[in-house]
Amino acid sequence: MKLKSNTLLLGGLLATSLVMSSCGKSGDSATNGTPSAPSSSSPAAAPASVPAGDLVDLTPEYPKPMFIGTPVPTGDIPNLEKPDPEAVKARLTLKVPKGTENVAKGKKVTSSDPLPIIGTLDLVTDGDADGSDGCYVELAPGAQWVQIDLEKEYDIWKILAWHFHKQTSIYFDVNVQVSNDPEFKTGVTTLYNNDHDDSSKLGKGEDKAYVETNHGRLIDGKGTKARYVRLSSNGNTANEMNHYIEVQVYGTPAK
């Protein structure tokens, strides 16, 4: 576990019981995070390719900012990316193939922690990225994952994920993988991995850690063909828990 005492938030820990409230509506259109080239381990199929002229603009809805508490001290996180407002502005819309949509919405979610401490797993794909109490799922401490069954194979172009943006937090060992194998033993492609020291034993990653915001994290799927999407994490700078508000997978039926 990478948590260190001087990275803990001074603003207090997250609530330990679910406060029932209606999830809010999305409020702006911007995204955070720098897509990185995926690394692969026995990919199931060659990624799809699309001529640039066949790309269209897609603008996801983003929730309103909700920052509370004291900003996260980040001095001892070696792979933390530097803020880049211009990069955020450049991704107000996503360039995707025609017909791309959020194919994860309403799909079944399973997890390494089948009985979450807070919330229910269906919140991960309910289409709402609001960070209010009652709108997120909290998993047990340590390395944990959530997995989405898209029900059939898709060409995956973008993945947009929110862990928790009510407080400023950095999640450790964030790993996003896709596969046609529900057990992720074969045909696994890693699209994102910021586990710089392989503490979660999923491989050493070269992607950057990042501060959670209402803009989520945008990950480039590169047209990778897969049915299942698995996202892993290993605690955060506020506490040892793992959280997910929403995961959106933008894809088209596999060709």
Side-chain angles (χ1 to χ4, degrees):
M1 178 62 62
K2 299 181 182 177
L3 293 177
K4 299 181 180 179
S5 59
N6 64 341
T7 62
L8 296 179
L9 281 178
L10 301 179
L13 299 179
L14 304 177
T16 57
S17 61
L18 177 61
V19 178
M20 298 306 296
S21 63
S22 297
C23 295
K25 298 300 180 181
S26 301
D28 65 25
S29 297
T31 187
N32 183 36
T34 304
S36 58
S39 59
S40 301
S41 174
S42 301
S49 60
V50 177
D54 290 337
L55 298 178
V56 297
D57 290 340
L58 185 152
T59 305
E61 292 187 51
Y62 293 85
K64 294 179 180 179
M66 300 184 65
F67 278 161
I68 61 174
T70 305
V72 179
T74 60
D76 63 344
I77 299 177
N79 62 331
L80 184 65
E81 71 179 9
K82 296 180 180 179
D84 186 354
E86 294 303 316
V88 173
K89 293 178 182 179
R91 289 186 291 275
L92 293 176
T93 58
L94 312 182
K95 291 289 186 181
V96 294
K98 295 176 183 178
T100 297
E101 60 182 351
N102 176 17
V103 297
K105 187 174 181 179
K107 299 297 174 62
K108 182 179 179 180
V109 181
T110 54
S111 175
S112 54
D113 180 7
L115 297 174
I117 299 169
I118 294 177
T120 54
L121 292 173
D122 61 309
L123 292 171
V124 177
T125 57
D126 67 354
D128 193 341
D130 182 74
S132 301
D133 291 334
C135 297
Y136 64 89
V137 61
E138 179 178 89
L139 307 180
Q144 302 287 351
W145 51 260
V146 295
Q147 181 172 310
I148 303 168
D149 180 0
L150 301 177
E151 298 181 354
K152 63 180 182 180
E153 186 181 64
Y154 285 90
D155 294 333
I156 297 174
W157 303 104
K158 306 289 182 182
I159 297 175
L160 193 54
W162 292 262
H163 287 276
F164 190 82
H165 58 82
K166 192 174 181 179
Q167 292 177 324
T168 54
S169 302
I170 300 167
Y171 283 77
F172 299 122
D173 302 350
V174 174
N175 193 305
V176 180
Q177 298 177 317
V178 297
S179 178
N180 280 322
D181 175 11
E183 296 184 0
F184 278 73
K185 294 181 178 179
T186 61
V188 177
T189 298
T190 299
L191 299 176
Y192 190 92
N193 182 6
N194 69 15
D195 183 1
H196 72 284
D197 59 1
D198 194 23
S199 59
S200 290
K201 307 304 179 184
L202 293 175
K204 185 176 181 179
E206 297 182 356
D207 293 297
K208 297 294 185 181
Y210 58 93
V211 177
E212 289 284 326
T213 75
N214 62 304
H215 299 141
R217 187 63 172 186
L218 179 64
I219 296 161
D220 198 343
K222 300 288 187 179
T224 307
K225 299 178 186 295
R227 170 174 170 171
Y228 301 95
V229 179
R230 180 178 287 193
L231 301 93
S232 306
S233 61
N234 193 357
N236 66 88
T237 48
N239 51 54
E240 297 181 348
M241 305 302 180
N242 297 276
H243 305 90
Y244 290 91
I245 295 175
E246 178 72 12
V247 177
Q248 298 176 358
V249 181
Y250 291 94
T252 52
K255 296 181 180 179

